[in-house]
Amino acid sequence: MQMRIGHGFDIHRVVAGRALVLGGVSIPWDRGLEGHSDADALLHAVTDAVLGALALGDIGQWFPNTDPHYRGISSMVLLQTVLTDPRVANWRLVNLDATVLAERPRLAPHMVAIRQTIADAFGVSVAAVSVKATTCEGTDAVGHGEAIAAHAVVLLEARA
């Protein structure tokens, strides 16, 4: 069976006046992430990991921030668009491991929902999806609360 590994990374500035969405889940907070779409850094990293595994470019090539059609769009819609593309649909997720880097807000209470939302998007068991959160201990833009970042790694297997 053919398998492919992909890695994705994304980072967005924290700003006032925007909703915070991570992993397709709305997180109650007084700030959100700046971006052309809903700026879901976690789903952007996941989408890039899938595209990278299959050497299909990156999220910016598929959904350019210069295209007004994508302004404010849900990153879950972007991920689902990628997952239903024929070049991707012939692959299934074996597992996904992601890490969100954020000083605030506390994400632990939302992890079950985030994992389930991502698992549902891929049509897999939640046991195949790991999402963790960590801080940067005040050492950089994330650590100073100015940004939220995410890394994601996927293992894909060709469908029989």
Side-chain angles (χ1 to χ4, degrees):
M1 187 65 62
Q2 187 178 9
M3 301 183 104
R4 303 291 291 266
I5 296 171
H7 173 263
F9 171 80
D10 196 42
I11 186 168
H12 286 271
R13 292 181 196 275
V14 170
V15 295
R18 294 267 306 202
L20 178 61
V21 179
L22 290 171
V25 174
S26 293
I27 310 290
W29 198 34
D30 64 343
R31 287 167 268 168
L33 299 178
E34 182 177 54
H36 187 69
S37 67
D38 65 2
D40 185 331
L42 177 53
L43 287 188
H44 291 183
V46 168
T47 302
D48 267 351
V50 170
L51 291 170
L54 301 174
L56 293 173
D58 63 44
I59 195 169
Q61 292 169 320
W62 279 58
F63 311 106
N65 64 6
T66 55
D67 187 335
H69 174 74
Y70 303 118
R71 177 161 300 287
I73 196 168
S74 164
S75 296
M76 184 58 75
V77 170
L78 303 180
L79 176 60
Q80 290 170 339
T81 300
V82 167
L83 294 178
T84 57
D85 183 279
R87 296 167 293 177
V88 179
N90 292 326
W91 295 83
R92 72 169 196 85
L93 180 72
V94 175
N95 76 300
L96 178 151
D97 185 29
T99 304
V100 178
L101 297 89
E103 229 39 48
R104 292 174 304 281
R106 189 165 178 270
L107 298 176
H110 309 285
M111 284 304 176
V112 170
I114 290 170
R115 289 178 62 218
Q116 188 64 62
T117 299
I118 293 171
D120 290 348
F122 281 92
V124 299
S125 164
V126 72
V129 176
S130 170
V131 179
K132 307 166 303 290
T134 191
T135 68
C136 289
E137 303 292 334
T139 62
D140 59 6
V142 171
H144 295 138
E146 299 167 0
I148 292 177
H151 288 271
V153 177
V154 298
L155 177 61
L156 303 177
E157 179 179 61
R159 295 186 191 270

